[in-house]
Amino acid sequence: MHPTQPAIPRSLFLFSIFYGGMVCIAGVLGNKQVALGPLAVEAGIFAFLLLVVVSSAIAELHGATIAKHLVWFGFIPLIFSILLVLLVLQVPASASMEPERLAAFELMMRATWRIWIAGIIAYGVSQTLNVTLFDAMRRGPKTAGWGGLLWLRAAAASVLSQIVDTLIFISVAFYGLFPIGELLVGQLLTKVVLSIVMVPPLIYLFVGLGRRLDATRAAATA
């Protein structure tokens, strides 16, 4: 490596690659509705919660500014993946492709322009809000007691950002097409529960892994 070239922390490099993959796959997974006991939610929530965890972990390890840049750079794979899907849908299918497979592909990958726009807006607003809230609680007054409670900061920021994400996405994508009240309530309840259950243990896993990766890099270059 050139002596004047800044070293990228190993955790930032690997987590950024992981983050980009989750940005692209979230929309694909969202085509399936999964049942979690009495709750129902689109499967894309699992990838989206991982985005929340990774951006929060990077904010914890490298600061909120870098985490927000990660979120904003996430628009690049998100938009290009949408454009690529639109391109592939316009390219004629091979005559040898089974009609059932083609119909299944088009059914899963096609979406209205409102859904595409809703996903882009909801992603940018909710992910930026998550990082902002997570960092604000870390830097808040010592008397508040938030700073040392990593799990609580992560869960609270995730819950609030997922509420905003759901309100934006469902309103932009479906308002005026059908009554959205029941859908909103169901999605909000499910995402709040998943944020409380999934995010706290995952944030410790990613922060711990990130610190180990960076410590290994530091030892190797010492």
Side-chain angles (χ1 to χ4, degrees), residues 2-210:
H2 194 280
T4 62
Q5 181 180 353
I8 300 175
R10 186 172 293 178
S11 64
L12 179 59
F13 177 73
L14 294 176
F15 287 176
S16 296
I17 295 174
F18 182 83
Y19 188 93
M22 291 301 101
V23 168
C24 294
I25 199 63
V28 177
L29 295 178
N31 286 283
K32 180 175 181 178
Q33 296 285 318
V34 295
L36 303 174
L39 304 176
V41 68
E42 76 274 12
I45 183 61
F46 299 115
F48 215 91
L49 286 178
L50 284 172
L51 293 177
V52 169
V53 170
V54 172
S55 61
S56 298
I58 289 180
E60 183 74 8
L61 295 167
H62 305 291
T65 299
I66 291 179
K68 287 180 181 178
H69 287 164
L70 175 71
V71 171
W72 299 335
F73 282 127
F75 280 110
I76 297 174
L78 175 60
I79 293 174
F80 269 86
S81 64
I82 291 173
L83 293 176
L84 189 57
V85 167
L86 294 174
L87 174 64
V88 170
L89 287 171
Q90 296 303 313
V91 175
S94 170
S96 62
M97 186 174 184
E98 301 92 331
E100 297 82 4
R101 184 183 296 273
L102 176 60
F105 175 82
E106 293 191 347
L107 177 65
M108 187 176 74
M109 301 306 295
R110 285 193 184 276
T112 67
W113 67 268
R114 287 183 59 172
I115 291 178
W116 293 125
I117 296 299
I120 292 172
I121 296 174
Y123 161 78
V125 174
S126 65
Q127 288 294 310
T128 302
L129 177 63
N130 173 73
V131 172
T132 301
L133 292 174
F134 180 85
D135 184 65
M137 287 184 282
R138 179 178 66 85
R139 295 185 295 103
K142 298 296 183 182
T143 54
W146 291 94
L149 299 175
L150 175 61
W151 66 271
L152 185 57
R153 286 187 283 126
S158 178
V159 166
L160 293 174
S161 65
Q162 285 302 294
I163 290 174
V164 171
D165 175 83
T166 303
L167 291 172
I168 292 175
F169 180 80
I170 293 181
S171 297
V172 175
F174 304 120
Y175 182 77
L177 299 178
F178 56 83
I180 62 174
E182 184 175 343
L183 178 61
L184 269 175
V185 172
Q187 295 294 298
L188 285 172
L189 177 61
T190 304
K191 291 182 178 181
V192 166
V193 171
L194 288 176
S195 293
I196 294 172
V197 172
M198 288 182 58
V199 171
L202 286 174
I203 189 68
Y204 281 105
L205 174 64
F206 273 82
V207 170
L209 176 60

